[in-house]
Amino acid sequence: MLTDTVLLVITNAPDAETADRIATTLVDRKLAACVNVGAPMRSVYRWQGLVEHATEWPMWIKTIAARRDALIAALTELHPYDVPEILVVPAEDGLPAYLDWIREETQA
């Protein structure tokens, strides 16, 4: 994967304050060009043998491959969950000007 490949990183936060804190930190550190924090949603999952139900705030983080490892390290540090959801999806296509903007905003 090329270092300037645009990535979408997906995670969830337990509340709006945590999502905003994480989003602001990632953008301040230039690890993300933009973080969309969605409306609360219900999550159902198995954790430590039990089926859990939680309200979470989804987060869509836009970055580039060169910032991937630092972004994952920051998410792991900032996130209150023992095992936060962190899914990395390469953006195969998009509006060229938007993709260029992400690349510019995530330059260290």
Side-chain angles (χ1 to χ4, degrees), residues 28 32 34 37 48 53 68 77 82-83 85 89 94-95:
D28 281 347
C34 174
V37 177
Q48 298 180 340
H53 298 258
R68 177 193 170 277
E77 165 201 332
D82 292 336
V83 182
E85 172 186 9
V89 182
L95 180 68

Side-chain angles (χ1 to χ4, degrees), residues 2 5 18 20-22 29 53 57 63-66 70 74 77 83:
L2 298 174
T5 299
T18 300
D20 287 341
R21 178 178 50 81
I22 291 171
R29 293 182 186 176
H53 298 258
W57 277 250
T63 192
I64 57 172
E77 165 201 332
V83 182

Side-chain angles (χ1 to χ4, degrees), residues 1-9 61-68 88-93 99-100 102-103 106-107:
M1 179 178 308
L2 298 174
T3 59
D4 71 341
T5 299
V6 172
L7 305 175
L8 174 64
V9 180
I61 304 162
K62 277 71 89 180
T63 192
I64 57 172
R67 304 298 272 156
R68 177 193 170 277
V88 179
V89 182
E92 293 185 18
D93 202 0
L99 299 176
D100 288 343
I102 292 170
R103 291 180 184 109
T106 53
Q107 293 303 311

Side-chain angles (χ1 to χ4, degrees), residues 44-54 80-85:
V44 179
Y45 56 94
R46 184 176 307 280
W47 179 249
Q48 298 180 340
L50 299 174
V51 175
E52 301 284 344
H53 298 258
Y81 293 170
D82 292 336
V83 182
E85 172 186 9

Side-chain angles (χ1 to χ4, degrees), residues 10-12 72 75-77 79-87:
I10 302 166
T11 192
N12 292 310
I72 289 173
L75 272 176
T76 303
E77 165 201 332
H79 209 289
Y81 293 170
D82 292 336
V83 182
E85 172 186 9
I86 300 175
L87 299 174

